[in-house]
Amino acid sequence: MRKSLTLFLSGLTLAVAASAAGAGERVLEFKLITKPIDLKVIEAANVEGQTVVSGKFFGVAVFSDGRIGVKEFVNTSDLLKGSGPFFGYSTYTFEEGSITARYAGSAKDGKSTGQYTILSGTGAYANATGTGTIESAPNPFKGVNLLNIKLVVKTPGS
């Protein structure tokens, strides 16, 4: 009986340790280059410079160590002469899994800032939650956006 209890407790300890090993908090920081794929711009009647922009976008995430990922997302903006709020839903796919998040922010004077709320994940990010930030970066390219992204990803048990 005592030997059975010891084996049971040892197995339970290993199961808990294995579960905790997959849990934790990871901070992902990278540059993100995005480009619209299917974009619709609607100008508001009788309001000069007011547009509602909605569409699908694609992006490539580049980490400082050379790792990469991709991002597919939808975005909607309500802009007056280029400034105003935006929000959307995105899925980042990395080698070790994916992260789906909602984001919201604002654009002003050609700069964008925003926040992420992580909704879910797969693979190493299964059942992820967390937050993140979006900040525009100096961009020498036309037709694409360049952003600094930071995601604080929490997986179960953290």
Side-chain angles (χ1 to χ4, degrees), residues 4-77:
S4 295
L5 181 59
T6 302
L7 284 174
F8 172 76
L9 290 175
S10 295
L12 184 61
T13 302
L14 282 174
V16 169
S19 172
E25 182 176 287
R26 296 183 195 175
V27 177
L28 305 175
E29 292 186 79
F30 49 87
K31 295 274 190 209
L32 178 67
I33 303 124
T34 67
K35 181 167 182 67
I37 295 175
D38 181 17
L39 197 62
K40 183 156 186 154
V41 179
I42 302 170
E43 294 182 16
N46 302 317
V47 184
E48 187 178 331
Q50 184 72 54
T51 59
V52 175
V53 181
S54 189
K56 292 173 119 180
F57 292 74
F58 181 80
V60 176
V62 180
F63 291 86
S64 60
D65 66 2
R67 291 178 297 138
I68 62 170
V70 295
K71 176 183 179 179
E72 293 184 70
F73 63 110
V74 293
N75 184 83
T76 296
S77 304

Side-chain angles (χ1 to χ4, degrees), residues 86 99 157:
F86 61 83
I99 296 168

